[in-house]
Amino acid sequence: MIIGNKNYSSWSLRAWLALRKTGIAFAEKRIALFEPGFREILLAHSPAAKVPIYVESGFAIWDTLAICEYLAEKHPALWPAERKSRARARSISAEMHSGFQALRTALPMNCRAVGRRVGITTDIAMDIDRVEGIWTDCRKNRRSGDGPWLFGDFCIADAMFAPVASRFRTYDINCNEIATEYMQTVLSDADVRAWYADGVLETEIIEEDEAGAA
Ligand SMILES: N[C@@H](CCC(=O)N[C@@H](CS)C(=O)NCC(=O)O)C(=O)O
């Protein structure tokens, strides 16, 4: 699995987390984004020149949802077993993949940062409300296992929203009790913590992702 900086690369976290949850042993290759020559290194693996890229026996798959779907073909438990839950999980995963632009731009993932403050515009507030609504609705209506994830057992939708839990922590975004509990599930997960542990040790600074510093 080819990933970017663990501190900043939210798309990398998503695909990496889905892969970790399959239990497959895999090698990871980290490419420091925006360092001199990074694009050439990415191009050597994928014509899209973005991380994450999953390479299996020399065959590259890029773009987070495509990677997750590829993994789910071999590991169907990455989607909820129940059909309507699976459809809903796909809807919110696609919604995350294509939306939440205001939130993603203004509140970049920055795992090691806490106590950041950014101005919350109407667009950002709408995105935050929608995330809180998704988490609350899924947790109230879950029917795919008894676990603490969106649909009970972990699924790709949880991977898609994991970086948002990280962002809410960094920028002190308060949610209702159910959504806060879900955030805690994400942030206390052993795999997410392993990602964070590596991320905080990174030394690269991507200025545009250092939003809200005092
Ligand atoms: N739609 C892609 C987005 C991937 C993406 O934007 N990755 C960022 C890192 S989080 C990247 O590679 N940025 C480098 C660049 O834009 O040159 C996906 O879902 O994987």
Side-chain angles (χ1 to χ4, degrees):
M1 177 66 80
I2 302 173
I3 55 173
N5 312 51
K6 286 191 172 175
N7 187 58
Y8 296 113
S9 181
S10 58
W11 292 111
S12 299
L13 167 57
R14 293 174 171 106
W16 179 94
L17 185 58
L19 181 56
R20 276 281 276 231
K21 293 299 184 191
T22 66
I24 312 171
F26 65 96
E28 70 185 45
K29 177 177 171 134
R30 193 188 80 103
I31 295 170
L33 298 176
F34 310 115
E35 296 287 306
F38 88 96
R39 194 175 151 77
E40 286 66 33
I41 301 173
L42 288 180
L43 280 171
H45 297 286
S46 153
K50 296 216 187 290
V51 285
I53 307 160
Y54 181 54
V55 184
E56 197 179 76
S57 306
F59 181 74
I61 301 124
W62 59 87
D63 214 283
T64 304
L65 260 187
I67 295 169
C68 289
E69 288 289 7
Y70 182 80
L71 296 175
E73 284 184 20
K74 259 197 202 162
H75 303 272
L78 280 177
W79 287 120
E82 195 271 326
R83 192 162 178 246
K84 285 187 176 152
S85 298
R86 195 161 61 247
R88 184 58 52 83
R90 282 199 161 105
S91 292
I92 61 170
S93 296
E95 189 178 346
M96 180 74 248
H97 198 231
S98 62
F100 297 102
Q101 212 56 53
L103 170 64
R104 279 167 35 202
T105 305
L107 282 62
M109 189 176 88
N110 188 347
C111 294
R112 64 186 165 225
V114 287
R116 297 292 173 99
R117 291 280 184 282
V118 292
I120 303 296
T121 62
T122 307
D123 285 352
I124 299 169
M126 281 170 65
D127 281 354
I128 292 170
D129 284 354
R130 176 67 191 132
V131 168
E132 187 180 35
I134 289 171
W135 290 353
T136 309
D137 181 56
C138 287
R139 288 296 301 152
K140 278 188 178 161
N141 301 307
R142 65 192 177 278
R143 45 181 174 178
S144 230
D146 295 327
W149 299 98
L150 289 175
F151 293 85
D153 296 338
F154 178 91
C155 77
I156 287 166
D158 297 293
M160 294 301 285
F161 282 91
V164 183
S166 176
R167 288 166 152 109
F168 282 9
R169 171 181 173 270
T170 293
Y171 303 96
D172 274 335
I173 304 297
N174 292 315
C175 290
N176 67 36
E177 202 175 321
I178 295 175
T180 302
E181 201 176 274
Y182 173 68
M183 252 179 79
Q184 291 314 321
T185 293
V186 174
L187 296 175
S188 61
D189 176 70
D191 295 313
V192 173
R193 287 168 67 98
W195 176 277
Y196 260 72
D198 289 343
V200 298
L201 296 177
E202 292 177 344
T203 52
E204 299 94 2
I205 305 283
I206 299 178
E207 282 301 340
E208 68 175 64
D209 288 344
E210 289 293 331

